[in-house]
Amino acid sequence: MLKTFKEIKQNIEARNAGKEFRRDEDGRAVVELCVRDDSDFLSPYSTSSNSVINGEVAEFIDTSVRPLKADEHVRLEIHSNEITADEQKIYTAAIHSYYAEQYKSNATERKRLIILAIVMAVIGVVALAAAIALLAYGQEIVGDVVEIIAWVFLWETVDILCFQLSLLRAKQMRCLALADCPIDYLPLEKIAPQI
């Protein structure tokens, strides 16, 4: 027999019950990474002057912090027996640099969206004024078409300002938290036995 969506949701909630993030002494959520082989930690395109973390590492971190609130502070704990003291400095800088660049990219996108929203609002208001004028002069069909176009532009403005910008702001806050988070390197045995 097939389960209802309500039963599936209850099963998921039951599985996730008690899976709270451990907190450090400052109240930051502790996110753990297990690195058994660090040969792919950095992007293969990184240079010595511009270290960038591999996309899989970034995706793992992003997925790990997704359940947290966007404005919550984080501490990364990287468990590994492979990472040397010199590599720790490089990896820490690469993680911080990656999220700082993501923050800058999101800030640029936010500015672009604000400009787009302003342009669309102006077009929508002008089109609405034109529709009112056309309707006043008896151009019913053309006036109705222009009015629909006006409302589409105005709705897009609302969508950008109310929805897209708030999502982008949440991403920016998460990137800021990760761009400045403390990163600890611990032996692998402290988290799980080696496979």
Side-chain angles (χ1 to χ4, degrees):
M1 183 171 149
L2 295 175
K3 294 181 182 178
T4 65
F5 287 120
K6 185 176 182 180
E7 291 172 326
I8 294 170
K9 181 181 173 190
Q10 289 172 343
N11 288 342
I12 291 171
E13 288 173 356
R15 261 185 272 147
N16 291 334
K19 285 188 177 178
E20 294 292 320
F21 280 87
R22 187 167 47 89
R23 304 282 171 174
D24 69 2
E25 61 279 354
D26 295 324
R28 290 183 286 246
V30 177
V31 176
E32 296 177 313
L33 285 84
C34 188
V35 180
R36 289 185 171 82
D37 177 15
D38 71 330
S39 62
D40 288 337
F41 197 88
L42 295 178
S43 169
Y45 307 106
S46 290
T47 62
S48 59
S49 63
N50 184 23
S51 296
V52 178
I53 58 174
N54 190 326
E56 286 185 38
V57 175
E59 185 178 341
F60 181 84
I61 294 171
D62 292 340
T63 302
S64 298
V65 298
R66 192 172 294 139
L68 297 171
K69 294 178 185 174
D71 61 347
E72 198 160 352
H73 293 280
V74 176
R75 172 185 293 275
L76 293 179
E77 282 186 358
I78 299 176
H79 297 266
S80 180
N81 294 332
E82 304 294 319
I83 301 173
T84 66
D86 290 336
E87 289 173 328
Q88 288 178 7
K89 294 173 188 170
I90 294 168
Y91 294 171
T92 298
I95 291 169
H96 289 159
S97 173
Y98 175 83
Y99 285 103
E101 288 301 318
Q102 289 294 311
Y103 173 80
K104 290 177 191 174
S105 175
N106 288 333
T108 302
E109 177 67 10
R110 194 162 187 253
K111 288 176 187 173
R112 189 190 69 76
L113 283 175
I114 289 170
I115 292 169
L116 181 63
I118 291 169
V119 168
M120 293 183 100
V122 169
I123 292 171
V125 168
V126 169
L128 191 58
I132 292 169
L134 287 168
L135 291 171
Y137 287 111
Q139 299 292 324
E140 297 281 326
I141 296 174
V142 176
D144 287 343
V145 170
V146 173
E147 183 178 5
I148 290 169
I149 292 169
W151 286 116
V152 168
F153 275 93
L154 291 173
W155 173 248
E156 283 298 317
T157 301
V158 170
D159 178 51
I160 290 170
L161 294 176
C162 294
F163 303 116
Q164 292 183 36
L165 286 181
S166 62
L167 290 174
L168 206 51
R169 180 163 166 68
K171 285 181 184 178
Q172 282 184 289
M173 290 172 23
R174 175 63 43 78
C175 287
L176 275 180
L178 289 167
D180 192 44
C181 72
I183 301 175
D184 299 323
Y185 294 87
L186 303 169
L188 189 59
E189 293 80 29
K190 294 242 178 179
I191 188 170
Q194 251 184 327
I195 295 175

